[in-house]
Amino acid sequence: MAAWDLSVTVEELGPEAPPVKVTVTSDLHMGGVILRIVEKTQIKMDWSDHALWWEQKQQWLLKPSWTLDKCGIHADARLTLIAQRKPLRIILPNGLNLRLRACFSTPVFQTTIAVCHPLNIRHPEELSLLRPVEGTKNKKECSEEEVHDLTKLQYTSGPVLTLANGMPVHFAASPDTEAMYKMLSVSSPAPAPEAISKRCHPTGLVDKAQPQSRWLDSSRCLMQQGVQENDKLLLCFKYYCFRNLVPKYDAVRLTQLYEQARWAILLEDIDCTEEEMMLFGALQYHIDKVSQSEPQLRSSCTAMDDLDSALQLLEVKMETKSNTEDIMETMTVAPELHDYLKMLRPKRFTLKGYKQFWFTFKDTSISYYKSKEESLKEPIQQMNLKGCEVSPDVRVSSQNFCIKLLIPEPDGMNEVYLRCANELQYSNWMAACRLASKGKTLADSSFSSEVQNIQSFLAMQRTSSGTNITRTDESINPQSFVSTRYHKKYRDKQLMARILDAYQNVAHLSLTDALDKFLQIWQALPDFGVSYFVVRFKGCRKDEILGIANNRLLRIDLSTKEIVKTWRYNTMRQWNVNWDIQQVAIEFNGNVNIAFNCVTATCKIVHEYIGGYIFMSTRSREQSDTLNQELFYKLTDGRHLATI
């Protein structure tokens, strides 16, 4: 077989060095090519991490047993012998800037897992990497950034070993690494108002859709997406379904999730009422105070851990017994709710204002009658709430307790508002509506805990005007705890009084409970977990918004911001992407078909979001922590990996 020359650029020789020429034949395997290149460089070092990168094809040549002929490599191929693992700058949700080693040859999904491993962030499938906003800092600000180098951190590839206080063993190697772990696992101080003002504030759904275009493709490697050594990437939570959050094991994960949620509130990436904003501000103020007095977030001892485990085991056994008794009881008596409520249907002009009806709630359906006496007859209407959108409209100070329902119908969404008379009535009916939207009935064991959570949330918003409250705290700036909208609306003293008023309801919470409560309230917001995309539906002439959540897709009118239609994943039969015309097509039960083109992001990102959420739903409490990566790629890739 004829021999020919192959030119290969060797990274270790420097950028100005000419390519190394080696004589090869087409039946020479890739391992032999690398061996000849290494021998010709005469550099004595560990080359085990190096591989060949094919520039024209934008792919790695990672199979050493394949021949040049099988790879399709000829004399005109531009190859580079470079290291697969290089330093990469990772910015966490709390703004911490880390430099650590990342693999540039594996898919981003695996790279994310590898980045989360030394940081002891469990369930890394919930996170991903995205590019930062370009041009937001000048050269002086970039040079002043503090970068924490973790490239020399020694850790094993197996399960992370931790000390009694939850700190991974590899962070206990020196005082510097211990201090680094504290920065990772303890929430950062409240940002200055100037820092909040400098960030991008979305003014509408189109602005909220822009960040989605910056996510990296999880099925392709960093090199294939133009990421170079020491480039800067953001590590953020992408999928809003958080599995098994345990403070004892998830100190870093819980803290970073809190930081991402806090910035979402401060920048108004997610909408909330004024009372909720003040409650978020009070919780931030409390977390800041307690963090200073509890520097180690999750300290524990072995004896207490054993006691906790025993109590949890006992609790599970008691719950099992209780659930069995509940099931036996519900076989004879089906629980119901019935009471007078006021209803408004905004899209039906025949009904002006709220009107009182007698309502009954059974299974997952709600029915209403003119009066209690009429309840023995046929209802005026019966509405099945399975798959509906449920959102609160509550202002405790003005005793306004409303439930907004968007119920899917063949021709669109049926919008219904229910007004309750008091907190207790609202708690019961809101809990019932939330469970019904998930296909659960009042007999479900989670009903009582859902009611308690709602009542706890309402209690936090209740003002404490009857008690003596310290209305000022000169040590803090109230503008650090609320969005810029309230900087303009209230003076500092007014803001401080509102925040400290709400603080009285959360001052008793421990640091762990305060973080947990902040995240609970964040997850209870109507728009929580919805990622927005500007799309053009097939057959339409105007752009609309597609919202992707953990269990549904939303079609939103761009001008009115109203939800036009909701589709649940459990009614989805199949979806596919026409890569030639960049169009996503989805088929649902009942011969419902939709198709759309993406405007603000690629179809691959939308496809990955949908497949990613379906993958998250396959996780269960009984499964091991081992990820089924093959299933993830099957659901999110859509195309063959460009790796030989």
Side-chain angles (χ1 to χ4, degrees):
M1 185 171 290
W4 43 279
D5 289 339
L6 180 65
S7 297
V8 179
T9 302
V10 180
E11 184 184 47
E12 300 298 334
L13 296 177
E16 303 297 331
V20 175
K21 287 187 178 182
V22 291
T23 302
V24 298
T25 57
S26 297
D27 61 349
L28 181 64
H29 54 77
M30 300 307 303
V33 173
I34 295 176
L35 181 60
R36 293 188 183 185
I37 296 170
V38 170
E39 290 175 347
K40 201 156 189 178
T41 61
Q42 297 182 349
I43 299 177
K44 295 183 179 180
M45 58 173 288
D46 184 2
W47 293 89
S48 60
D49 187 50
H50 285 63
L52 289 170
W53 168 255
W54 192 354
E55 185 178 341
Q56 293 108 317
K57 296 286 187 178
Q58 287 290 293
Q59 64 184 28
W60 289 88
L61 305 174
L62 299 176
K63 296 190 176 180
S65 62
W66 281 28
T67 64
L68 291 171
D69 183 54
K70 190 173 183 178
C71 293
I73 295 175
H74 304 289
D76 60 346
R78 294 196 300 270
L79 304 180
T80 306
L81 182 64
I82 56 176
Q84 299 177 64
R85 290 164 182 81
K86 298 182 178 182
L88 186 69
R89 288 175 61 184
I90 298 293
I91 300 177
L92 300 180
N94 66 346
L96 205 61
N97 199 329
L98 306 178
R99 179 185 286 112
L100 40 75
R101 289 198 173 276
C103 187
F104 280 65
S105 62
T106 57
V108 165
F109 184 67
Q110 295 181 28
T111 303
T112 304
I113 294 174
V115 167
C116 291
H117 178 70
L119 304 180
N120 199 24
I121 298 178
R122 298 195 310 150
H123 302 293
E125 67 275 11
E126 299 166 357
L127 299 92
S128 191
L129 299 171
L130 75 161
R131 304 178 192 275
V133 179
E134 296 180 358
T136 57
K137 293 185 179 181
N138 55 41
K139 293 183 179 180
K140 182 179 179 181
E141 289 176 322
C142 291
S143 62
E144 292 176 352
E145 285 183 339
E146 185 179 6
V147 181
H148 303 277
D149 194 349
L150 295 181
T151 56
K152 296 181 180 179
L153 192 66
Q154 300 293 324
Y155 57 92
T156 61
S157 58
V160 177
L161 301 176
T162 59
L163 302 177
N165 60 5
M167 180 189 296
V169 173
H170 52 263
F171 276 105
S174 69
D176 290 340
T177 53
E178 287 186 10
M180 172 56 59
Y181 181 74
K182 181 179 178 181
M183 287 189 281
L184 291 168
S185 60
V186 179
S187 60
S188 56
E194 297 78 15
I196 300 175
S197 302
K198 284 183 179 180
R199 293 280 193 104
C200 295
H201 291 70
T203 57
L205 293 178
V206 175
D207 288 345
K208 292 181 180 181
Q210 296 302 323
Q212 312 307 330
S213 63
R214 295 188 278 112
W215 288 107
L216 295 184
D217 188 335
S218 293
S219 59
R220 303 173 69 209
C221 69
L222 295 175
M223 285 283 285
Q224 289 172 327
Q225 301 181 68
V227 179
Q228 301 297 323
E229 181 178 352
N230 284 317
D231 276 1
K232 189 187 302 181
L233 293 175
L234 307 180
L235 178 66
C236 297
F237 289 87
K238 180 178 182 179
Y239 300 104
Y240 293 89
C241 42
F242 314 117
R243 180 188 177 194
N244 197 20
L245 268 171
V246 182
K248 176 184 173 183
Y249 305 112
D250 293 318
V252 178
R253 181 179 174 216
L254 189 60
T255 298
Q256 299 304 324
L257 183 58
Y258 161 71
E259 293 288 347
Q260 186 164 327
R262 172 164 72 170
W263 279 107
I265 297 296
L266 293 176
L267 300 179
E268 296 186 341
D269 281 332
I270 185 169
D271 297 330
C272 64
T273 64
E274 185 171 314
E275 287 183 330
E276 289 167 340
M277 179 62 76
M278 298 306 159
L279 180 55
F280 280 125
L283 284 167
Q284 291 176 69
Y285 171 61
H286 180 59
I287 289 170
D288 273 12
K289 287 187 65 175
V290 180
S291 295
Q292 297 173 9
S293 58
E294 296 182 29
Q296 195 58 48
L297 186 59
R298 316 280 184 262
S299 60
S300 60
C301 65
T302 306
M304 291 302 295
D305 291 344
D306 293 341
L307 178 60
D308 288 342
S309 301
L311 289 174
Q312 288 176 4
L313 182 61
L314 178 61
E315 185 179 356
V316 169
K317 290 181 178 179
M318 294 297 292
E319 284 181 355
T320 304
K321 182 179 178 181
S322 176
N323 291 343
T324 305
E325 294 173 352
D326 291 343
I327 292 172
M328 295 300 295
E329 183 179 350
T330 54
M331 291 175 66
T332 56
V333 181
E336 296 181 24
L337 283 178
H338 39 78
D339 210 340
Y340 278 108
L341 302 174
K342 292 183 178 181
M343 183 176 70
L344 171 67
R345 309 187 79 167
K347 292 186 178 180
R348 298 195 178 184
F349 300 103
T350 55
L351 186 61
K352 297 181 179 180
Y354 282 91
K355 189 174 181 179
Q356 184 168 278
F357 295 93
W358 177 260
F359 283 82
T360 62
F361 203 119
K362 186 175 181 180
D363 296 329
T364 61
S365 297
I366 191 170
S367 307
Y368 64 96
Y369 310 81
K370 286 186 177 180
S371 64
K372 182 178 180 180
E373 292 72 23
E374 298 281 330
S375 61
L376 299 177
K377 303 178 182 179
E378 288 294 318
I380 299 175
Q381 186 182 13
Q382 185 181 62
M383 300 173 287
N384 192 334
L385 302 188
K386 187 176 181 180
C388 76
E389 299 292 320
V390 183
S391 57
D393 182 11
V394 176
R395 287 172 178 80
V396 178
S397 58
S398 57
Q399 291 295 293
N400 179 54
F401 305 101
C402 289
I403 303 171
K404 294 182 179 180
L405 301 175
L406 284 174
I407 306 170
E409 291 185 348
D411 57 345
M413 302 294 287
N414 178 18
E415 190 173 11
V416 177
Y417 293 1
L418 301 179
R419 175 176 284 177
C420 301
N422 51 56
E423 291 185 18
L424 180 60
Q425 188 184 62
Y426 169 80
S427 301
N428 284 291
W429 285 82
M430 185 64 176
C433 290
R434 283 180 176 173
L435 290 180
S437 69
K438 302 173 184 176
K440 299 179 181 180
T441 68
L442 296 174
D444 193 87
S445 59
S446 62
F447 175 71
S448 58
S449 62
E450 185 71 31
V451 172
Q452 292 175 1
N453 289 336
I454 295 171
Q455 290 177 338
S456 173
F457 173 58
L458 295 176
M460 287 185 179
Q461 295 189 61
R462 213 174 291 132
T463 58
S464 308
S465 56
T467 60
N468 293 324
I469 304 171
T470 303
R471 296 282 179 171
T472 59
D473 187 341
E474 301 296 337
S475 64
I476 66 168
N477 188 337
Q479 294 186 2
S480 298
F481 302 106
V482 296
S483 64
T484 54
R485 175 188 305 185
Y486 300 98
H487 300 179
K488 304 171 184 177
K489 187 174 181 180
Y490 295 107
R491 296 179 179 177
D492 285 0
K493 288 186 178 180
Q494 293 174 312
L495 270 179
M496 178 59 66
R498 294 285 302 275
I499 291 173
L500 291 179
D501 196 18
Y503 169 69
Q504 303 305 308
N505 297 316
V506 300
H508 64 284
L509 297 175
S510 66
L511 177 57
T512 302
D513 291 340
L515 288 168
D516 187 53
K517 188 60 65 177
F518 189 99
L519 295 176
Q520 282 184 14
I521 299 171
W522 173 53
Q523 293 178 68
L525 294 176
D527 299 332
F528 165 77
V530 180
S531 302
Y532 299 101
F533 298 86
V534 179
V535 300
R536 178 75 60 89
F537 280 91
K538 187 177 181 180
C540 296
R541 296 183 177 180
K542 62 178 183 178
D543 293 342
E544 297 179 74
I545 295 292
L546 176 74
I548 302 180
N550 67 334
N551 58 356
R552 67 200 188 281
L553 300 177
L554 308 171
R555 184 174 182 174
I556 305 172
D557 188 282
L558 189 54
S559 56
T560 64
K561 300 181 181 179
E562 292 184 355
I563 298 175
V564 178
K565 187 67 178 176
T566 297
W567 301 280
R568 294 270 166 174
Y569 293 151
N570 55 14
T571 65
M572 185 187 298
R573 298 185 64 184
Q574 64 175 353
W575 84 97
N576 58 74
V577 180
N578 186 328
W579 301 108
D580 295 330
I581 61 175
Q582 290 289 297
Q583 186 179 81
V584 181
I586 308 175
E587 180 184 350
F588 297 92
N589 293 338
N591 294 321
V592 176
N593 295 275
I594 64 171
F596 54 85
N597 295 89
C598 301
V599 178
T600 55
T602 64
C603 289
K604 177 61 171 69
I605 295 177
V606 172
H607 170 66
E608 190 172 304
Y609 255 106
I610 297 172
Y613 272 125
I614 293 175
F615 172 78
M616 299 299 159
S617 68
T618 64
R619 305 178 303 175
S620 67
R621 196 175 296 274
E622 290 74 28
Q623 291 176 336
S624 66
D625 289 336
T626 303
L627 279 176
N628 187 346
Q629 296 189 28
E630 183 180 351
L631 178 61
F632 178 84
Y633 292 129
K634 184 178 180 180
L635 291 170
T636 63
D637 182 12
R639 289 175 289 191
H640 179 68
L641 288 177
T643 301
I644 293 180

